[in-house]
């Protein structure tokens, strides 16, 4: 009789552990946001995407290099 009670208690313990594990898995916490993420911008001249910190901003437009900045501005003046 003691063996049966011990087996039943063991099964209940296993059930309780599995149930609590399943609850944690089902809650599924969202992954943490990427550390150090940065906004990407598009060059107004060639369309390449680059980090905002590496871009050259002029009049609300972003450029990947000073050459593209100057070329785009000269086209707008002559056009």
């Amino acid at each position: 009789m003691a063996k049966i009670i011990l087996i039943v208690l063991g099964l209940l313990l296993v059930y309780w552990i599995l149930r609590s594990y399943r609850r944690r898995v089902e809650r599924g916490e969202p992954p943490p946001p990427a550390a150090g993420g940065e906004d990407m911008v598009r060059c107004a001249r060639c369309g390449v995407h680059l980090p905002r910190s590496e871009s050259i901003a002029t009049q609300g437009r972003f450029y990947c290099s000073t050459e593209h900045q100057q070329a785009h501005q000269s086209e707008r003046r002559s056009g």
Side-chain angles (χ1 to χ4, degrees), residues 45-58:
R45 172 93 173 142
C46 66
V48 72
H49 288 85
L50 65 155
R52 184 182 295 264
S53 64
E54 295 178 19
S55 68
I56 300 166
T58 304

Side-chain angles (χ1 to χ4, degrees), residues 6-61:
L6 191 58
I7 290 173
V8 170
L9 288 176
L11 291 174
L12 286 174
L13 179 64
V14 169
Y15 173 76
W16 179 73
I17 291 171
L18 290 176
R19 188 178 64 167
S20 64
Y21 173 74
R22 185 176 175 201
R23 283 184 187 165
R24 271 188 279 154
V25 170
E26 285 178 354
R27 273 189 282 183
E29 300 175 9
E38 187 174 352
D39 289 340
M40 299 293 282
V41 295
R42 186 173 185 215
C43 177
R45 172 93 173 142
C46 66
V48 72
H49 288 85
L50 65 155
R52 184 182 295 264
S53 64
E54 295 178 19
S55 68
I56 300 166
T58 304
Q59 297 174 349
R61 295 180 185 258

